mmCIF file of all heavy atoms in Angstrom:
data_model
loop_
_atom_site.group_PDB
_atom_site.id
_atom_site.type_symbol
_atom_site.label_atom_id
_atom_site.label_comp_id
_atom_site.label_asym_id
_atom_site.label_seq_id
_atom_site.Cartn_x
_atom_site.Cartn_y
_atom_site.Cartn_z
ATOM 1 N N VAL A 61 -0.987 80.136 87.058
ATOM 2 C CA VAL A 61 -1.851 80.011 88.218
ATOM 3 C C VAL A 61 -1.032 79.531 89.415
ATOM 4 O O VAL A 61 -0.330 78.523 89.344
ATOM 5 C CB VAL A 61 -3.000 79.012 87.943
ATOM 6 C CG1 VAL A 61 -3.850 78.814 89.185
ATOM 7 C CG2 VAL A 61 -3.846 79.505 86.782
ATOM 8 N N LYS A 62 -1.101 80.274 90.506
ATOM 9 C CA LYS A 62 -0.372 79.905 91.714
ATOM 10 C C LYS A 62 -1.339 79.357 92.745
ATOM 11 O O LYS A 62 -2.230 80.064 93.202
ATOM 12 C CB LYS A 62 0.369 81.135 92.282
ATOM 13 C CG LYS A 62 1.476 81.647 91.388
ATOM 14 C CD LYS A 62 2.208 82.817 92.042
ATOM 15 C CE LYS A 62 3.344 83.319 91.165
ATOM 16 N NZ LYS A 62 4.057 84.467 91.788
ATOM 17 N N HIS A 63 -1.155 78.087 93.113
ATOM 18 C CA HIS A 63 -2.016 77.478 94.109
ATOM 19 C C HIS A 63 -1.474 77.774 95.502
ATOM 20 O O HIS A 63 -0.276 77.956 95.700
ATOM 21 C CB HIS A 63 -2.093 75.963 93.882
ATOM 22 C CG HIS A 63 -2.714 75.592 92.568
ATOM 23 N ND1 HIS A 63 -4.067 75.699 92.335
ATOM 24 C CD2 HIS A 63 -2.156 75.147 91.419
ATOM 25 C CE1 HIS A 63 -4.327 75.313 91.091
ATOM 26 N NE2 HIS A 63 -3.189 74.977 90.527
ATOM 27 N N HIS A 64 -2.364 77.820 96.472
ATOM 28 C CA HIS A 64 -1.945 78.048 97.846
ATOM 29 C C HIS A 64 -1.108 76.863 98.318
ATOM 30 O O HIS A 64 -1.470 75.703 98.117
ATOM 31 C CB HIS A 64 -3.165 78.219 98.750
ATOM 32 C CG HIS A 64 -3.937 79.466 98.467
ATOM 33 N ND1 HIS A 64 -3.539 80.699 98.915
ATOM 34 C CD2 HIS A 64 -5.089 79.670 97.774
ATOM 35 C CE1 HIS A 64 -4.410 81.611 98.526
ATOM 36 N NE2 HIS A 64 -5.355 81.013 97.824
ATOM 37 N N SER A 65 0.031 77.155 98.947
ATOM 38 C CA SER A 65 0.913 76.103 99.426
ATOM 39 C C SER A 65 0.196 75.267 100.479
ATOM 40 O O SER A 65 -0.341 75.801 101.444
ATOM 41 C CB SER A 65 2.176 76.723 100.023
ATOM 42 O OG SER A 65 2.855 77.489 99.051
ATOM 43 N N ALA A 66 0.189 73.957 100.272
ATOM 44 C CA ALA A 66 -0.510 73.051 101.186
ATOM 45 C C ALA A 66 0.472 72.068 101.814
ATOM 46 O O ALA A 66 1.420 71.619 101.170
ATOM 47 C CB ALA A 66 -1.608 72.298 100.447
ATOM 48 N N LEU A 67 0.231 71.736 103.063
ATOM 49 C CA LEU A 67 1.056 70.774 103.784
ATOM 50 C C LEU A 67 0.528 69.371 103.504
ATOM 51 O O LEU A 67 -0.677 69.129 103.637
ATOM 52 C CB LEU A 67 0.991 71.067 105.284
ATOM 53 C CG LEU A 67 1.899 70.250 106.192
ATOM 54 C CD1 LEU A 67 3.362 70.619 105.955
ATOM 55 C CD2 LEU A 67 1.534 70.497 107.659
ATOM 56 N N PRO A 68 1.384 68.424 103.104
ATOM 57 C CA PRO A 68 0.919 67.039 102.930
ATOM 58 C C PRO A 68 0.280 66.547 104.227
ATOM 59 O O PRO A 68 0.800 66.804 105.310
ATOM 60 C CB PRO A 68 2.216 66.276 102.617
ATOM 61 C CG PRO A 68 3.123 67.306 102.023
ATOM 62 C CD PRO A 68 2.816 68.569 102.760
ATOM 63 N N PHE A 75 3.125 69.067 112.553
ATOM 64 C CA PHE A 75 2.918 70.513 112.528
ATOM 65 C C PHE A 75 1.965 70.935 113.637
ATOM 66 O O PHE A 75 2.189 71.943 114.319
ATOM 67 C CB PHE A 75 2.372 70.957 111.171
ATOM 68 C CG PHE A 75 2.010 72.411 111.134
ATOM 69 C CD1 PHE A 75 2.980 73.380 110.894
ATOM 70 C CD2 PHE A 75 0.702 72.832 111.374
ATOM 71 C CE1 PHE A 75 2.657 74.735 110.892
ATOM 72 C CE2 PHE A 75 0.366 74.179 111.367
ATOM 73 C CZ PHE A 75 1.354 75.128 111.131
ATOM 74 N N ILE A 94 -7.647 75.249 111.157
ATOM 75 C CA ILE A 94 -7.257 73.992 110.517
ATOM 76 C C ILE A 94 -8.228 72.877 110.881
ATOM 77 O O ILE A 94 -8.665 72.099 110.020
ATOM 78 C CB ILE A 94 -5.822 73.605 110.928
ATOM 79 C CG1 ILE A 94 -4.828 74.639 110.398
ATOM 80 C CG2 ILE A 94 -5.466 72.211 110.417
ATOM 81 C CD1 ILE A 94 -3.421 74.483 110.952
ATOM 82 N N LEU A 171 -0.970 84.444 109.161
ATOM 83 C CA LEU A 171 0.154 84.326 108.228
ATOM 84 C C LEU A 171 1.460 84.718 108.914
ATOM 85 O O LEU A 171 2.502 84.069 108.722
ATOM 86 C CB LEU A 171 -0.089 85.202 107.003
ATOM 87 C CG LEU A 171 0.964 85.114 105.886
ATOM 88 C CD1 LEU A 171 1.071 83.695 105.364
ATOM 89 C CD2 LEU A 171 0.607 86.065 104.752
ATOM 90 N N LEU A 174 2.755 81.874 110.980
ATOM 91 C CA LEU A 174 3.469 80.877 110.179
ATOM 92 C C LEU A 174 4.895 81.329 109.896
ATOM 93 O O LEU A 174 5.831 80.516 109.921
ATOM 94 C CB LEU A 174 2.726 80.621 108.866
ATOM 95 C CG LEU A 174 1.432 79.805 108.950
ATOM 96 C CD1 LEU A 174 0.720 79.793 107.605
ATOM 97 C CD2 LEU A 174 1.729 78.382 109.420
ATOM 98 N N ARG A 179 7.710 78.801 108.745
ATOM 99 C CA ARG A 179 7.002 78.004 107.749
ATOM 100 C C ARG A 179 6.475 78.914 106.644
ATOM 101 O O ARG A 179 5.299 78.961 106.344
ATOM 102 C CB ARG A 179 5.855 77.220 108.398
ATOM 103 C CG ARG A 179 6.279 76.165 109.397
ATOM 104 C CD ARG A 179 7.337 75.193 108.839
ATOM 105 N NE ARG A 179 6.963 74.560 107.603
ATOM 106 C CZ ARG A 179 6.502 73.306 107.534
ATOM 107 N NH1 ARG A 179 6.383 72.580 108.636
ATOM 108 N NH2 ARG A 179 6.197 72.780 106.370
ATOM 109 N N ASP A 180 7.425 79.646 106.033
ATOM 110 C CA ASP A 180 7.078 80.512 104.913
ATOM 111 C C ASP A 180 6.586 79.715 103.707
ATOM 112 O O ASP A 180 6.055 80.287 102.752
ATOM 113 C CB ASP A 180 8.288 81.360 104.496
ATOM 114 C CG ASP A 180 8.657 82.401 105.542
ATOM 115 O OD1 ASP A 180 8.159 82.296 106.676
ATOM 116 O OD2 ASP A 180 9.430 83.313 105.222
ATOM 117 N N ASP A 181 6.802 78.389 103.746
ATOM 118 C CA ASP A 181 6.383 77.537 102.634
ATOM 119 C C ASP A 181 4.882 77.244 102.666
ATOM 120 O O ASP A 181 4.351 76.653 101.728
ATOM 121 C CB ASP A 181 7.152 76.216 102.669
ATOM 122 C CG ASP A 181 6.980 75.480 104.004
ATOM 123 O OD1 ASP A 181 7.002 76.155 105.058
ATOM 124 O OD2 ASP A 181 6.847 74.244 103.995
ATOM 125 N N LEU A 182 4.198 77.676 103.736
ATOM 126 C CA LEU A 182 2.785 77.354 103.898
ATOM 127 C C LEU A 182 1.916 78.604 103.867
ATOM 128 O O LEU A 182 2.381 79.704 104.133
ATOM 129 C CB LEU A 182 2.552 76.624 105.224
ATOM 130 C CG LEU A 182 3.311 75.326 105.449
ATOM 131 C CD1 LEU A 182 3.035 74.801 106.854
ATOM 132 C CD2 LEU A 182 2.949 74.289 104.397
ATOM 133 N N THR A 183 0.642 78.411 103.539
ATOM 134 C CA THR A 183 -0.359 79.466 103.680
ATOM 135 C C THR A 183 -1.505 78.889 104.496
ATOM 136 O O THR A 183 -1.709 77.668 104.534
ATOM 137 C CB THR A 183 -0.907 79.932 102.316
ATOM 138 O OG1 THR A 183 -1.608 78.844 101.691
ATOM 139 C CG2 THR A 183 0.207 80.423 101.407
ATOM 140 N N VAL A 184 -2.253 79.762 105.138
ATOM 141 C CA VAL A 184 -3.383 79.298 105.943
ATOM 142 C C VAL A 184 -4.420 78.616 105.053
ATOM 143 O O VAL A 184 -4.933 77.543 105.381
ATOM 144 C CB VAL A 184 -4.030 80.486 106.697
ATOM 145 C CG1 VAL A 184 -5.215 80.006 107.526
ATOM 146 C CG2 VAL A 184 -3.006 81.168 107.599
ATOM 147 N N HIS A 185 -4.706 79.222 103.922
ATOM 148 C CA HIS A 185 -5.713 78.661 103.012
ATOM 149 C C HIS A 185 -5.303 77.282 102.505
ATOM 150 O O HIS A 185 -6.163 76.447 102.191
ATOM 151 C CB HIS A 185 -5.925 79.612 101.831
ATOM 152 C CG HIS A 185 -7.212 79.367 101.103
ATOM 153 N ND1 HIS A 185 -8.424 79.885 101.519
ATOM 154 C CD2 HIS A 185 -7.477 78.644 99.989
ATOM 155 C CE1 HIS A 185 -9.375 79.500 100.689
ATOM 156 N NE2 HIS A 185 -8.834 78.750 99.745
ATOM 157 N N GLY A 186 -3.989 77.031 102.449
ATOM 158 C CA GLY A 186 -3.510 75.752 101.958
ATOM 159 C C GLY A 186 -3.952 74.572 102.794
ATOM 160 O O GLY A 186 -4.025 73.436 102.301
ATOM 161 N N PHE A 187 -4.276 74.807 104.067
ATOM 162 C CA PHE A 187 -4.722 73.709 104.933
ATOM 163 C C PHE A 187 -6.089 73.186 104.514
ATOM 164 O O PHE A 187 -6.445 72.049 104.846
ATOM 165 C CB PHE A 187 -4.730 74.154 106.394
ATOM 166 C CG PHE A 187 -3.360 74.198 106.998
ATOM 167 C CD1 PHE A 187 -2.688 75.405 107.135
ATOM 168 C CD2 PHE A 187 -2.721 73.038 107.415
ATOM 169 C CE1 PHE A 187 -1.414 75.450 107.678
ATOM 170 C CE2 PHE A 187 -1.448 73.067 107.951
ATOM 171 C CZ PHE A 187 -0.784 74.276 108.085
ATOM 172 N N ARG A 188 -6.844 73.995 103.793
ATOM 173 C CA ARG A 188 -8.109 73.498 103.248
ATOM 174 C C ARG A 188 -7.838 72.447 102.163
ATOM 175 O O ARG A 188 -8.572 71.473 102.030
ATOM 176 C CB ARG A 188 -8.940 74.660 102.691
ATOM 177 C CG ARG A 188 -9.580 75.498 103.796
ATOM 178 C CD ARG A 188 -10.130 76.818 103.297
ATOM 179 N NE ARG A 188 -11.082 76.729 102.219
ATOM 180 C CZ ARG A 188 -12.380 76.481 102.361
ATOM 181 N NH1 ARG A 188 -12.868 76.276 103.574
ATOM 182 N NH2 ARG A 188 -13.188 76.427 101.315
ATOM 183 N N SER A 189 -6.756 72.656 101.410
ATOM 184 C CA SER A 189 -6.350 71.655 100.413
ATOM 185 C C SER A 189 -5.845 70.394 101.105
ATOM 186 O O SER A 189 -6.091 69.276 100.642
ATOM 187 C CB SER A 189 -5.255 72.225 99.515
ATOM 188 O OG SER A 189 -5.732 73.301 98.744
ATOM 189 N N THR A 190 -5.145 70.587 102.218
ATOM 190 C CA THR A 190 -4.681 69.444 103.005
ATOM 191 C C THR A 190 -5.875 68.603 103.453
ATOM 192 O O THR A 190 -5.875 67.370 103.346
ATOM 193 C CB THR A 190 -3.900 69.923 104.239
ATOM 194 O OG1 THR A 190 -2.762 70.680 103.817
ATOM 195 C CG2 THR A 190 -3.425 68.746 105.077
ATOM 196 N N PHE A 191 -6.908 69.287 103.968
ATOM 197 C CA PHE A 191 -8.120 68.593 104.387
ATOM 198 C C PHE A 191 -8.753 67.836 103.223
ATOM 199 O O PHE A 191 -9.154 66.674 103.359
ATOM 200 C CB PHE A 191 -9.122 69.602 104.955
ATOM 201 C CG PHE A 191 -10.506 69.039 105.126
ATOM 202 C CD1 PHE A 191 -10.836 68.294 106.251
ATOM 203 C CD2 PHE A 191 -11.478 69.236 104.155
ATOM 204 C CE1 PHE A 191 -12.113 67.758 106.406
ATOM 205 C CE2 PHE A 191 -12.757 68.707 104.295
ATOM 206 C CZ PHE A 191 -13.073 67.967 105.426
ATOM 207 N N ASP A 193 -7.378 66.720 100.452
ATOM 208 C CA ASP A 193 -6.570 65.564 100.058
ATOM 209 C C ASP A 193 -6.769 64.411 101.037
ATOM 210 O O ASP A 193 -6.899 63.248 100.630
ATOM 211 C CB ASP A 193 -5.088 65.950 100.009
ATOM 212 C CG ASP A 193 -4.776 66.907 98.875
ATOM 213 O OD1 ASP A 193 -5.592 67.024 97.954
ATOM 214 O OD2 ASP A 193 -3.708 67.555 98.932
#
Side-chain angles (χ1 to χ4, degrees):
V61 176
K62 294 183 179 180
H63 297 286
H64 293 281
S65 300
L67 186 68
F75 174 83
I94 295 170
L171 184 59
L174 286 173
R179 295 308 306 259
D180 291 14
D181 57 319
L182 302 176
T183 64
V184 179
H185 199 83
F187 283 101
R188 285 167 56 83
S189 295
T190 300
F191 167 83
D193 291 343

